[in-house]
DNA sequence: AAACGACCCAACCGCTGTTTA
DNA sequence: ATAAACAGCGGTTGGGTCGTT
Protein backbone atom coordinates (compact mmCIF):
# COMPACT_ATOMS: atom_id res chain seq x y z
CA UNK A 1 0.00 0.00 0.00
CA UNK A 2 1.47 3.27 -0.90
CA UNK A 3 1.30 6.50 0.85
CA UNK A 4 -0.91 8.92 -0.96
CA UNK A 5 0.94 11.56 -2.95
CA UNK A 6 1.54 14.75 -1.07
CA UNK A 7 0.01 18.05 -2.06
CA UNK A 8 3.07 19.32 -3.88
CA UNK A 9 3.16 16.31 -6.15
CA UNK A 10 -0.36 16.99 -7.24
CA UNK A 11 0.16 20.68 -7.75
CA UNK A 12 -2.06 21.57 -4.83
CA UNK A 13 -1.74 24.51 -2.49
CA UNK A 14 0.49 24.22 0.53
CA UNK A 15 1.49 26.47 3.35
CA UNK A 16 -0.66 28.88 5.30
CA UNK A 17 -4.37 28.91 4.67
CA UNK A 18 -6.09 31.97 3.29
CA UNK A 19 -9.31 33.38 4.68
CA UNK A 20 -11.07 32.29 1.54
CA UNK A 21 -9.90 28.71 1.90
CA UNK A 22 -10.97 28.72 5.54
CA UNK A 23 -14.39 29.97 4.54
CA UNK A 24 -14.78 27.34 1.85
CA UNK A 25 -13.78 24.55 4.18
CA UNK A 26 -15.92 25.76 7.06
CA UNK A 27 -18.91 26.25 4.85
CA UNK A 28 -18.59 22.83 3.29
CA UNK A 29 -18.25 21.05 6.61
CA UNK A 30 -21.15 22.97 8.10
CA UNK A 31 -23.32 21.80 5.24
CA UNK A 32 -22.05 18.27 4.77
CA UNK A 33 -20.30 17.34 7.98
CA UNK A 34 -16.82 16.02 8.63
CA UNK A 35 -15.36 13.00 6.97
CA UNK A 36 -14.48 11.86 3.47
CA UNK A 37 -11.38 13.98 3.66
CA UNK A 38 -10.11 12.51 0.45
CA UNK A 39 -12.94 13.81 -1.66
CA UNK A 40 -13.74 16.84 0.45
CA UNK A 41 -11.28 19.31 -1.13
CA UNK A 42 -12.63 18.70 -4.60
CA UNK A 43 -16.23 18.92 -3.47
CA UNK A 44 -15.53 22.04 -1.46
CA UNK A 45 -13.66 23.69 -4.30
CA UNK A 46 -10.32 23.65 -2.53
CA UNK A 47 -6.94 23.04 -4.10
CA UNK A 48 -5.68 21.25 -1.02
CA UNK A 49 -5.12 17.65 -0.14
CA UNK A 50 -7.58 16.02 2.22
CA UNK A 51 -4.96 15.65 4.86
CA UNK A 52 -4.32 19.35 4.89
CA UNK A 53 -8.05 20.08 5.11
CA UNK A 54 -8.51 17.70 7.98
CA UNK A 55 -5.63 19.23 9.88
CA UNK A 56 -6.86 22.75 9.31
CA UNK A 57 -10.33 21.86 10.49
CA UNK A 58 -9.23 19.84 13.49
CA UNK A 59 -6.61 22.27 14.73
CA UNK A 60 -8.03 25.61 13.83
CA UNK A 61 -11.49 25.90 12.34
CA UNK A 62 -13.58 23.62 14.53
CA UNK A 63 -16.14 25.75 16.35
CA UNK A 64 -15.46 24.14 19.72
CA UNK A 65 -11.79 25.02 19.75
CA UNK A 66 -10.77 26.93 22.82
CA UNK A 67 -8.37 29.74 22.08
CA UNK A 68 -6.13 31.49 24.50
CA UNK A 69 -3.71 30.58 27.22
CA UNK A 70 -3.58 27.21 28.87
CA UNK A 71 -4.89 27.63 32.39
CA UNK A 72 -2.92 26.38 35.41
CA UNK A 73 -5.54 23.65 35.86
CA UNK A 74 -5.13 22.56 32.27
CA UNK A 75 -1.37 22.66 32.60
CA UNK A 76 -1.53 20.51 35.68
CA UNK A 77 -3.77 18.07 33.91
CA UNK A 78 -1.47 17.89 30.92
CA UNK A 79 1.47 17.13 33.18
CA UNK A 80 -0.41 14.40 34.97
CA UNK A 81 -1.73 12.86 31.82
CA UNK A 82 1.65 13.02 30.16
CA UNK A 83 3.15 11.27 33.12
CA UNK A 84 0.55 8.62 32.67
CA UNK A 85 0.31 8.32 28.91
CA UNK A 86 3.53 9.70 27.52
CA UNK A 87 3.39 11.52 24.22
CA UNK A 88 -0.11 10.36 23.42
CA UNK A 89 -1.21 13.82 22.50
CA UNK A 90 -4.55 12.89 21.06
CA UNK A 91 -5.46 11.01 24.22
CA UNK A 92 -4.36 13.91 26.35
CA UNK A 93 -6.27 16.33 24.14
CA UNK A 94 -9.35 14.20 24.57
CA UNK A 95 -9.21 15.10 28.23
CA UNK A 96 -9.03 18.83 27.61
CA UNK A 97 -12.21 20.05 25.97
CA UNK A 98 -11.51 22.55 23.23
CA UNK A 99 -7.81 21.84 23.08
CA UNK A 100 -6.17 20.08 20.16
CA UNK A 101 -3.44 17.51 20.20
CA UNK A 102 -1.26 19.83 18.17
CA UNK A 103 -1.74 22.65 20.63
CA UNK A 104 -0.93 20.47 23.59
CA UNK A 105 2.06 18.99 21.84
CA UNK A 106 3.36 22.46 21.04
CA UNK A 107 2.70 23.65 24.55
CA UNK A 108 4.49 20.69 25.99
CA UNK A 109 7.51 21.07 23.73
CA UNK A 110 7.82 24.80 24.17
CA UNK A 111 6.87 25.20 27.82
CA UNK A 112 6.29 22.18 29.94
CA UNK A 113 9.19 19.94 29.07
CA UNK A 114 11.61 22.75 29.79
CA UNK A 115 9.77 23.76 32.92
CA UNK A 116 9.78 20.24 34.30
CA UNK A 117 13.40 19.71 33.43
CA UNK A 118 14.24 22.93 35.24
CA UNK A 119 12.43 21.59 38.27
CA UNK A 120 14.50 18.47 38.01
CA UNK A 121 11.55 16.30 37.18
CA UNK A 122 11.86 13.36 34.86
CA UNK A 123 10.37 13.98 31.48
CA UNK A 124 9.27 10.84 29.77
CA UNK A 125 11.05 10.36 26.49
CA UNK A 126 9.11 9.65 23.36
CA UNK A 127 8.36 6.04 22.79
CA UNK A 128 9.83 5.11 19.46
CA UNK A 129 7.26 3.76 17.12
CA UNK A 130 7.64 0.22 16.02
CA UNK A 131 8.84 -0.27 12.52
CA UNK A 132 7.24 -2.89 10.37
CA UNK A 133 4.46 -3.36 12.85
CA UNK A 134 2.18 -6.09 11.68
CA UNK A 135 -1.50 -5.84 12.35
CA UNK A 136 -2.79 -8.52 14.60
CA UNK A 137 -6.20 -9.45 15.84
CA UNK A 138 -5.72 -6.69 18.37
CA UNK A 139 -3.46 -4.41 16.50
CA UNK A 140 -3.95 -1.45 18.76
CA UNK A 141 -2.00 -3.14 21.43
CA UNK A 142 1.32 -1.41 21.34
CA UNK A 143 4.33 -2.66 23.10
CA UNK A 144 6.25 0.17 24.65
CA UNK A 145 9.43 -1.67 25.20
CA UNK A 146 11.35 -4.44 23.66
CA UNK A 147 10.51 -7.17 26.11
CA UNK A 148 6.78 -6.76 25.64
CA UNK A 149 6.08 -6.94 29.34
CA UNK A 150 4.45 -3.55 29.47
CA UNK A 151 1.76 -2.64 27.05
CA UNK A 152 -0.60 0.19 26.56
CA UNK A 153 -3.93 -0.18 24.93
CA UNK A 154 -4.23 2.68 22.51
CA UNK A 155 -7.82 3.42 21.65
CA UNK A 156 -9.05 5.85 19.08
CA UNK A 157 -8.76 9.46 20.17
CA UNK A 158 -12.23 9.62 21.49
CA UNK A 159 -12.95 11.02 24.87
CA UNK A 160 -11.45 8.99 27.60
CA UNK A 161 -13.84 7.34 29.91
CA UNK A 162 -12.26 5.74 32.78
CA UNK A 163 -10.66 5.56 36.15
CA UNK A 164 -7.25 6.40 37.26
CA UNK A 165 -7.60 5.24 40.74
CA UNK A 166 -4.73 3.02 39.81
CA UNK A 167 -2.49 6.05 39.53
CA UNK A 168 -3.36 7.78 42.73
CA UNK A 169 0.11 7.57 44.19
CA UNK A 170 1.79 8.89 41.14
CA UNK A 171 0.55 12.42 41.48
CA UNK A 172 2.85 13.32 44.27
CA UNK A 173 5.89 15.26 43.20
CA UNK A 174 9.06 13.32 43.05
CA UNK A 175 7.30 10.05 43.44
CA UNK A 176 6.58 7.58 40.77
CA UNK A 177 8.98 7.89 37.91
CA UNK A 178 7.46 6.87 34.66
CA UNK A 179 8.89 3.41 35.01
CA UNK A 180 7.35 3.10 38.43
CA UNK A 181 4.04 4.05 36.99
CA UNK A 182 4.26 1.67 34.12
CA UNK A 183 5.20 -1.05 36.50
CA UNK A 184 2.19 -0.18 38.53
CA UNK A 185 0.03 -0.15 35.47
CA UNK A 186 1.24 -3.53 34.50
CA UNK A 187 0.38 -4.93 37.87
CA UNK A 188 -2.87 -6.13 36.36
CA UNK A 189 -5.14 -4.66 38.95
CA UNK A 190 -7.96 -2.24 38.32
CA UNK A 191 -9.64 0.00 40.77
CA UNK A 192 -12.49 -2.40 41.18
CA UNK A 193 -10.07 -5.04 42.26
CA UNK A 194 -10.42 -7.01 39.10
CA UNK A 195 -7.36 -8.20 37.35
CA UNK A 196 -6.56 -7.73 33.73
CA UNK A 197 -3.99 -9.17 31.48
CA UNK A 198 -1.44 -6.44 31.71
CA UNK A 199 -3.02 -3.83 29.50
CA UNK A 200 -3.92 -0.34 30.49
CA UNK A 201 -7.04 0.77 28.75
CA UNK A 202 -7.58 4.50 29.10
CA UNK A 203 -10.86 4.29 27.26
CA UNK A 204 -12.25 2.04 29.89
CA UNK A 205 -10.56 3.33 32.96
CA UNK A 206 -9.80 7.02 32.89
CA UNK A 207 -13.10 8.51 33.84
CA UNK A 208 -14.12 6.88 37.05
CA UNK A 209 -12.67 8.82 39.89
CA UNK A 210 -11.43 11.46 37.52
CA UNK A 211 -12.04 14.35 39.83
CA UNK A 212 -10.41 12.62 42.74
CA UNK A 213 -7.39 11.83 40.71
CA UNK A 214 -7.01 15.10 38.93
CA UNK A 215 -8.14 17.25 41.78
CA UNK A 216 -10.85 19.13 39.94
CA UNK A 217 -13.99 18.42 38.05
CA UNK A 218 -13.79 18.11 34.33
CA UNK A 219 -16.03 20.50 32.48
CA UNK A 220 -17.65 18.41 29.83
C1' DA B 1 16.83 51.51 14.00
C1' DA B 2 19.04 47.33 12.75
C1' DA B 3 20.74 42.81 13.67
C1' DC B 4 20.41 38.78 15.93
C1' DG B 5 18.71 34.92 18.57
C1' DA B 6 14.97 32.59 20.93
C1' DC B 7 10.53 31.22 20.90
C1' DC B 8 5.93 29.95 19.16
C1' DC B 9 2.80 27.54 16.45
C1' DA B 10 0.62 26.24 12.01
C1' DA B 11 1.51 23.06 8.75
C1' DC B 12 3.83 19.21 6.73
C1' DC B 13 5.84 14.48 6.60
C1' DG B 14 6.08 9.80 7.29
C1' DC B 15 4.35 6.32 9.55
C1' DT B 16 0.72 3.05 11.67
C1' DG B 17 -3.99 1.49 12.23
C1' DT B 18 -8.58 0.51 10.32
C1' DT B 19 -11.82 -0.48 6.87
C1' DT B 20 -13.30 -2.41 2.75
C1' DA B 21 -13.40 -4.90 -1.53
C1' DA C 1 -6.30 -13.84 3.53
C1' DT C 2 -4.67 -10.05 1.17
C1' DA C 3 -3.91 -5.53 -0.55
C1' DA C 4 -5.44 -0.96 -1.45
C1' DA C 5 -7.59 3.11 0.22
C1' DC C 6 -8.39 5.98 3.76
C1' DA C 7 -7.98 8.14 8.41
C1' DG C 8 -5.38 9.54 12.15
C1' DC C 9 -1.23 10.15 15.07
C1' DG C 10 3.17 11.99 16.59
C1' DG C 11 7.61 14.08 15.23
C1' DT C 12 9.60 17.75 12.84
C1' DT C 13 10.10 21.97 10.27
C1' DG C 14 10.19 26.68 9.05
C1' DG C 15 8.30 31.26 8.89
C1' DG C 16 6.64 34.87 11.74
C1' DT C 17 7.00 37.38 16.03
C1' DC C 18 9.09 39.13 20.04
C1' DG C 19 12.79 40.44 23.06
C1' DT C 20 17.50 41.71 23.64
C1' DT C 21 21.75 43.83 22.40
Amino acid sequence: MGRSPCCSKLGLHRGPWTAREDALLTSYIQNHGEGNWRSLPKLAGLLRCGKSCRLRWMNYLRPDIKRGNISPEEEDLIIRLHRLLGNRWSLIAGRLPGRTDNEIKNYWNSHLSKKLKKQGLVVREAIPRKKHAKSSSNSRMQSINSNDEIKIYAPKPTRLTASIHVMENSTEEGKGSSSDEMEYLSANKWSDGSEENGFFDPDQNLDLGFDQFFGFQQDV
Side-chain angles (χ1 to χ4, degrees), chain A residues 162-210:
Chain A
S163 116
I164 301 205
H165 171 95
V166 70
M167 295 298 296
E168 62 189 359
N169 290 328
S170 69
T171 61
E172 295 171 37
E173 294 295 349
K175 267 194 175 180
S177 66
S178 56
S179 59
D180 290 339
E181 286 168 9
M182 293 316 296
E183 200 175 317
Y184 197 93
L185 285 172
S186 66
N188 305 342
K189 287 191 192 301
W190 298 108
S191 55
D192 63 1
S194 65
E195 300 204 2
E196 261 295 346
N197 52 358
F199 299 114
F200 172 57
D201 182 351
D203 239 6
Q204 295 299 314
N205 293 281
L206 272 176
D207 240 10
L208 305 171
F210 179 92

Side-chain angles (χ1 to χ4, degrees), chain A residues 1 12 39 74 89 170 175 201 220:
Chain A
M1 114 176 86
L12 300 175
S39 54
E74 287 175 315
W89 307 116
S170 69
K175 267 194 175 180
D201 182 351
V220 176

Side-chain angles (χ1 to χ4, degrees), chain A residues 64-170:
Chain A
D64 57 331
I65 296 230
K66 194 192 283 182
R67 299 259 145 223
N69 295 338
I70 304 274
S71 70
E73 287 80 14
E74 287 175 315
E75 183 178 304
D76 184 56
L77 180 53
I78 291 168
I79 292 169
R80 290 165 194 255
L81 284 169
H82 187 271
R83 197 183 295 165
L84 171 65
L85 299 167
N87 296 0
R88 309 294 297 278
W89 307 116
S90 62
L91 287 177
I92 294 172
R95 267 295 169 211
L96 289 136
R99 301 295 185 186
T100 69
D101 54 353
N102 209 32
E103 186 179 14
I104 291 168
K105 179 172 62 183
N106 283 334
Y107 188 73
W108 178 269
N109 289 331
S110 58
H111 292 91
L112 292 180
S113 63
K114 290 172 192 169
K115 185 176 170 180
L116 293 181
K117 274 180 183 168
K118 249 184 190 173
Q119 293 173 0
L121 297 174
V122 175
V123 176
R124 175 179 293 188
E125 299 297 331
I127 299 164
R129 291 212 234 168
K130 265 189 171 177
K131 298 274 182 186
H132 313 301
K134 179 79 180 162
S135 291
S136 66
S137 58
N138 197 346
S139 57
R140 281 187 186 160
M141 297 290 188
Q142 287 188 354
S143 168
I144 67 165
N145 65 7
S146 56
N147 61 17
D148 276 0
E149 285 175 2
I150 300 168
K151 295 184 180 181
I152 284 183
Y153 179 75
K156 280 197 165 183
T158 49
R159 66 184 289 283
L160 302 173
T161 53
S163 116
I164 301 205
H165 171 95
V166 70
M167 295 298 296
E168 62 189 359
N169 290 328
S170 69

Side-chain angles (χ1 to χ4, degrees), chain A residues 10-29:
Chain A
L10 294 171
L12 300 175
H13 288 176
R14 301 180 67 210
W17 280 64
T18 64
R20 184 176 170 277
E21 287 176 315
D22 281 349
L24 281 172
L25 179 58
T26 304
S27 160
Y28 181 86
I29 291 177

